[in-house]
Amino acid sequence: MKRSRIAIAAVATGAVVALTGCATSDPTDSSAGDSTDASAIVVGSFAYPESEILGNIYALALEDAGFEVETKFNLGPRQTTIPALEDGSISLMPEYNGNLLFFYDTENEARTTADVDSALETTVPDGFRVLDSSPAEDKDAYVVTQELADAEGLVSIGDLKKIEPFSLGASPQIAELPYGIPGLEEFYGLKDITFVPIEDFGGPDTVKALVDDAVQVADIFTTSPDLVAKNLVVLEDPENLIAAQNIVPLLNSNIYSDELADVLNRISAALTTEDLIALRDRVEGTEKAQAATAAMDWLTDKGLLG
C-alpha cells in the first residue's frame, strides 16, 4: 500500500516537463497538500524531472528500509521548499550543495565540494541537517563538440585560449555572472569572446547552436542527456570557476536517525553524474518513463534495496 502511494504521486506529477538545470530553472508553482501523516517522512522535490527522480529514489529506498513515507513533488523553488521544511509540510529534499549554500549566504566563496560541504554544516539553520553529498553534480559547464576537442586538444577551460577568438552561447546572465564572462577572464585569462545570448538555459537551442558551429563553446548543465546524445565534451575546470553543485539530502532534524542517514548516504555514495544523465534520458527522452519507474530500476541495479 505504501509503495502504491508513492507511485501514484509520481504519476500525478509526471506530466511536468522541464529541460533546464537546477537553480536557474525552478518554476514557482506549489502543490503541497495538508493531509500529511504526522508519523511519515515526507519527501519533496523541485518542479523539474531530475528533482522528481531523486525524490523518488529517496522515497522508495526509505520505504524499502521500513520507513513510513509520503511524497509531495513539484513544489517549486527554494522560496517554497525551505518554508515547507521549516513548518513540517515536507521533511526531506534532494538538494544541490552549492546553490543551497548560496541561498543562505550569498557572500560565501566556497567552490570545491569539500569547502562547500564544510560551509554548509555551519550555515544551514538550526532544525535542518545535511547528510553526505554525492559525487553526482548538476551544474553549469563549458562544453564543446568532440570534433573540436579532438582537433584542437581541448581538455580544460584554459585550453580555449587555443581557439580565441571564439563564440560562447549561453543564457543572458552569463555575461555578468561571476562564473560567466568575468570569471573566464579572471580565472583563465580568456578575453576574446563573442557572447551569443540564448534564452533556454542550455536546452535544445543552445545545443543546436553548438552542434551547428554557430557557437564554438556553450554553457550546458552537466546532467543534460544531450551530452551523450550529441557527443559533447565537458571541459575540465581545474581552477574551480564554477562552484560545486553536488546532490545532497537536506532534512528536517526531527526525522534524523542513524538508520535513515545510512540509507540516504549509501544512495549518495552510489549516485554519479553519468547516472543522472541516464535517468533524465529515460524520463525526458523518447522512452518517457515514469520517474518512479526509473528510480526503482536504478535502486535495483545498484543493489540498494532489500
Side-chain angles (χ1 to χ4, degrees):
M1 180 65 67
K2 290 182 291 184
R3 179 154 299 157
S4 64
R5 179 171 59 247
I6 292 173
I8 291 169
V11 169
T13 59
V16 177
V17 177
L19 296 176
T20 54
C22 43
T24 55
S25 63
D26 293 357
T28 57
D29 178 56
S30 174
S31 59
D34 298 319
S35 59
T36 303
D37 182 344
S39 66
I41 294 169
V42 185
V43 184
S45 83
F46 298 121
Y48 50 86
E50 178 177 285
S51 187
E52 186 181 336
I53 294 166
L54 291 166
N56 272 285
I57 287 173
Y58 289 176
L60 291 166
L62 288 170
E63 188 177 68
D64 182 73
F67 291 91
E68 183 75 18
V69 179
E70 294 183 3
T71 59
K72 291 184 179 180
F73 296 153
N74 189 30
L75 294 179
R78 289 176 188 84
Q79 288 79 3
T80 298
T81 61
I82 295 299
L85 280 164
E86 290 172 344
D87 68 20
S89 300
I90 60 174
S91 45
L92 172 63
M93 272 289 297
E95 260 288 0
Y96 302 85
N97 59 357
N99 284 333
L100 182 61
L101 177 61
F102 190 77
F103 179 83
Y104 286 115
D105 182 3
T106 58
E107 302 300 320
N108 199 294
E109 297 183 356
R111 294 182 179 277
T112 67
T113 297
D115 288 346
V116 170
D117 286 347
S118 178
L120 266 180
E121 290 180 4
T122 57
T123 302
V124 295
D126 292 342
F128 285 178
R129 187 160 182 165
V130 290
L131 300 181
D132 292 353
S133 66
S134 171
E137 287 189 272
D138 183 357
K139 67 177 183 178
D140 295 82
Y142 290 106
V143 176
V144 297
T145 63
Q146 185 71 61
E147 181 181 9
L148 184 61
D150 291 343
E152 302 293 343
L154 306 180
V155 176
S156 73
I157 296 173
D159 292 333
L160 292 174
K161 289 181 180 179
K162 299 176 183 179
I163 64 168
E164 282 188 305
F166 62 86
S167 295
L168 168 65
S171 63
Q173 295 90 332
I174 291 295
E176 298 179 355
L177 286 170
Y179 60 84
I181 300 293
L184 289 171
E185 179 173 354
E186 177 184 354
F187 282 69
Y188 289 103
L190 300 170
K191 301 179 180 180
D192 200 350
I193 302 172
T194 299
F195 180 54
V196 179
I198 306 174
E199 296 279 358
D200 68 343
F201 297 98
D205 291 342
T206 303
V207 172
K208 185 176 189 304
L210 182 62
V211 171
D212 291 348
D213 199 37
V215 299
Q216 289 73 56
V217 185
D219 174 24
I220 297 173
F221 288 103
T222 55
T223 65
S224 169
D226 282 323
L227 295 175
V228 174
K230 304 297 186 182
N231 198 24
L232 305 178
V233 175
V234 172
L235 295 176
E236 296 175 6
D237 181 16
E239 300 298 326
N240 295 302
L241 166 62
I242 303 171
Q245 297 292 352
N246 303 83
I247 309 300
V248 61
L250 172 67
L251 54 110
N252 188 306
S253 298
N254 291 336
I255 69 166
Y256 178 83
S257 69
D258 289 344
E259 183 183 5
L260 178 140
D262 179 64
V263 171
L264 296 176
N265 287 338
R266 287 191 294 115
I267 289 169
S268 290
L271 188 66
T272 67
T273 303
E274 291 74 20
D275 289 335
L276 284 179
I277 292 172
L279 286 162
R280 284 189 58 187
D281 187 51
R282 286 197 65 191
V283 173
E284 300 175 56
T286 56
E287 182 181 346
K288 302 299 182 187
Q290 293 293 332
T293 300
M296 179 63 79
D297 290 347
W298 181 84
L299 286 164
T300 302
D301 290 345
K302 294 292 183 177
L304 292 172
L305 298 177

